[in-house]
Amino acid sequence: EPEAALVEKIKPTKKGHEKTKPCKDRAETVKVLNAMTSTSLRPATSNVFGEGPMLVSDIPQSCRNTEKDAPGGIILGIDEAGRGPVLGPMTYGCAFWSPSVPDSSLPKGLNDSKQLTEQDRDRLLLDILDSHDVGFVLRVLHASEISRNMLRPNPYNLNAMSHDAAMQMIQAVLDAGVKIDTCYIDTVGTADYYRSRLERVFRGKGIHFVVEKKADSKYAVCSAASIVAKVARDRMIGAWKFSEQSYDGNHDFGSGYPSDPRCKSWMGNNLADPVFCFPDLVRFSWGPAKNAVEDGGVKVEWEADVNKEEQETKRQAQQMSAFLAGGPSKKQKPRTGFFEKQRMTRVEKLIQI
């Protein structure tokens, strides 16, 4: 299947992932997942704008509700991988199945992915893909998306991104016609606040939310979500395809965590451009990246910032002159917060061209 057709399955619209549809069957699910993880398939726009990709698997027949008001519903778990690294994406996984499905149809040995070996994680992902009773969703927040959100004038922090990614996945499952009975989530931030936000957003859907620390080691469905997120991220990093065509980088960056010696070495040797600095594998909003850019990048002065400084200097000089002359000082009216956050300045002179 052409790459363009696969991208259509995972790319967001201008409004995000509101219209992301499930794959038609398990074969298509596996094909798209393999493309995402083995060739770092991603919509080109996600490198520079908007949200990263989201894959919704085919919906197991045992999870479909044949009657709108049918009792019960599926159980669903959510967990993430790659929250702390300075390199690569953060991935959110969601897994779900019907509680009526026998244990024999579910993967054996599910646990928090961090407590398992790489071989066990790979085996469990294969078991998840082989089971026609287990569905899943994978949402990828690439480093470029994280950087854009955290470095914008009005920062969009990682906790808020995490909460919104989880809610996108829940909504995608609901939009596929699946009724959710209980949702287990490994908490990000304060559990009570997170739970109350979820209950408010999904009020009237009949979902019971369980938001706890270490949920990925307590609930099998949360463990399965952890496996999806962790294996997907590890494979993406291992097969990373740099979007910068002129960049000839290597993959010897270890785990991507700032404390990893291989990651430190890679960061030190791969500040490849004096202006743009690193490739978009790097989270520019992380401290080590900020420091490296500050130390090794070209200093850039933005005209808007210079103008703002000049205006402030001019204002202070006018106030001092008025004070020394004994006249009243004209105080500037404080600006509305919106203009300050957007860094919008007053137009003082119009030039006709």
Side-chain angles (χ1 to χ4, degrees):
E1 191 168 353
E3 184 174 287
L6 298 179
V7 168
E8 288 298 316
K9 282 290 179 183
I10 60 175
K11 78 174 186 180
T13 64
K14 290 182 179 179
K15 293 185 177 180
H17 283 286
E18 291 179 9
K19 296 186 178 181
T20 301
K21 302 295 184 184
C23 292
K24 62 184 178 183
D25 53 35
R26 191 48 55 111
E28 184 178 61
T29 297
V30 172
K31 187 177 293 185
V32 177
L33 179 64
N34 286 343
M36 289 175 69
T37 57
S38 64
T39 65
S40 17
L41 177 74
R42 56 194 186 272
T45 53
S46 70
N47 294 324
V48 294
F49 175 78
E51 298 176 346
M54 183 169 77
L55 166 65
V56 183
S57 78
D58 57 299
I59 305 299
Q61 188 59 41
S62 56
C63 294
R64 295 181 182 275
N65 297 115
T66 54
E67 299 177 22
K68 184 178 179 182
D69 298 321
I74 59 124
I75 57 173
L76 180 149
I78 293 175
D79 194 22
E80 51 80 20
R83 184 177 175 82
V86 68
L87 303 180
M90 178 171 74
T91 52
Y92 253 80
C94 157
F96 56 92
W97 56 72
S98 170
S100 63
V101 168
D103 290 345
S104 58
S105 296
L106 300 175
K108 304 293 185 298
L110 287 169
N111 197 355
D112 172 13
S113 63
K114 295 184 289 296
Q115 306 301 319
L116 300 170
T117 64
E118 182 179 354
Q119 291 76 15
D120 284 339
R121 291 195 296 267
D122 289 343
R123 174 185 60 78
L124 283 166
L125 181 62
L126 283 176
D127 290 346
I128 289 170
L129 294 175
D130 287 342
S131 173
H132 293 288
D133 289 309
V134 179
F136 67 90
V137 184
L138 175 65
R139 168 73 163 93
V140 182
L141 291 89
H142 282 297
S144 53
E145 179 181 354
I146 294 171
S147 299
R148 286 193 301 274
N149 287 336
M150 294 185 71
L151 293 175
R152 67 191 195 183
N154 187 18
Y156 175 24
N157 68 46
L158 201 61
N159 278 5
M161 281 186 262
S162 298
H163 293 175
D164 289 346
M167 289 188 284
Q168 281 180 327
M169 295 191 296
I170 295 169
Q171 190 61 54
V173 174
L174 291 173
D175 289 344
V178 178
K179 185 175 181 180
I180 303 172
D181 180 78
T182 305
C183 178
Y184 301 92
I185 302 182
D186 194 40
T187 190
V188 171
T190 306
D192 289 342
Y193 168 77
Y194 194 1
R195 182 173 54 252
S196 66
R197 188 180 179 202
L198 289 163
E199 290 170 346
R200 184 170 63 254
V201 170
F202 295 102
R203 183 178 289 117
K205 302 295 184 182
I207 306 174
H208 173 56
F209 288 99
V210 178
V211 184
E212 299 178 1
K213 290 182 178 179
K214 304 295 183 183
D216 50 356
S217 60
K218 298 177 184 176
Y219 307 104
V221 72
C222 226
S223 302
S226 174
I227 297 294
V228 171
K230 174 65 174 170
V231 176
R233 183 183 188 278
D234 286 351
R235 290 182 181 178
M236 283 181 194
I237 288 290
W240 187 258
K241 184 178 179 181
F242 292 97
S243 64
E244 299 83 1
Q245 295 181 359
S246 61
Y247 177 68
D248 184 23
N250 63 67
H251 289 72
D252 188 22
F253 37 63
S255 65
Y257 280 86
S259 58
D260 186 333
R262 288 169 65 192
C263 178
K264 286 182 180 179
S265 175
W266 188 92
M267 292 282 289
N269 295 326
N270 284 271
L271 199 141
D273 185 275
V275 176
F276 298 102
C277 299
F278 293 109
D280 66 7
L281 175 69
V282 175
R283 300 181 190 178
F284 285 82
S285 49
W286 257 233
K290 284 183 176 180
N291 294 338
V293 169
E294 185 71 25
D295 294 340
V298 171
K299 302 294 185 292
V300 177
E301 282 191 345
W302 300 101
E303 186 177 352
D305 294 336
V306 173
N307 288 343
K308 190 173 181 180
E309 290 174 5
E310 289 176 351
Q311 289 170 2
E312 180 63 18
T313 302
K314 183 179 178 181
R315 185 188 66 80
Q316 290 177 358
Q318 287 173 341
Q319 286 185 336
M320 180 59 71
S321 297
F323 173 76
L324 294 174
S329 72
K330 294 181 180 179
K331 292 186 178 179
Q332 286 188 339
K333 277 175 131 184
R335 306 192 71 205
T336 305
F338 170 80
F339 295 105
E340 292 294 338
K341 285 181 179 178
Q342 301 303 320
R343 298 182 182 175
M344 297 172 69
T345 59
R346 293 183 179 86
V347 175
E348 296 185 347
K349 184 187 295 184
L350 294 176
I351 301 174
Q352 187 173 359
I353 299 176

